[in-house]
Amino acid sequence: MTDRGIPVRILLAVAATAAMAGCGSSGSDDGEGAASCAYRVEYEGRTYGDVANVKFQVGEKVGSATIPACDDTNDGGKESATASTAYAVKGLDPDIALAVGDTPDDVTFVAVNPGKTLPPEVEKLIDQG
């Protein structure tokens, strides 16, 4: 079972910030901006975002997910999308949530509509403690 130890209030603040910012820049004293991109995964035409504090069990491998490129280094777009393994989450439809990572022991929980209202099935898995 995977358990992320981040308090729910931090999760909500991060999700709200990511939803508003997406991939954006902030100014610095040297006139150049520093950018930061929210973690997103694409799988079968749907976009998922990471959700912390979710207690879940990794299921079977369901395919390959794509982590889109994010040019947060202002290097002229040299970054490229990467592929990662998508696993089912026990008890949830892959249309709602996935576990994504190189191995079942090193995954990130992702769900549709991150930063907005989470599906009720995901809300039930969020650690309230």
Side-chain angles (χ1 to χ4, degrees):
M1 192 170 284
T2 300
D3 181 7
R4 306 270 178 176
I6 301 171
V8 172
R9 66 183 181 279
I10 293 173
L11 159 70
L12 295 175
V14 170
T17 302
M20 291 186 303
C23 188
S25 296
S26 61
S28 64
D29 290 339
D30 64 4
E32 292 190 26
S36 172
C37 295
Y39 183 79
R40 296 284 184 248
V41 174
E42 295 173 356
Y43 176 76
E44 293 190 349
R46 290 177 299 279
T47 301
Y48 301 74
D50 63 325
V51 180
N53 284 350
V54 178
K55 290 187 177 185
F56 65 99
Q57 291 182 324
V58 177
E60 297 296 318
K61 179 179 173 181
V62 294
S64 182
T66 301
I67 301 168
C70 174
D71 184 16
D72 65 352
T73 60
N74 296 323
D75 65 359
K78 294 179 184 174
E79 296 289 321
S80 60
T82 57
S84 190
T85 304
Y87 300 92
V89 172
K90 289 185 180 179
L92 295 179
D93 190 301
D95 291 352
I96 295 171
L98 298 167
V100 178
D102 293 330
T103 69
D105 294 327
D106 185 26
V107 294
T108 299
F109 181 93
V110 294
V112 295
N113 294 325
K116 299 178 184 177
T117 302
L118 289 170
E121 299 91 340
V122 174
E123 288 281 350
K124 291 177 185 177
L125 298 176
I126 293 178
D127 181 16
Q128 299 297 321

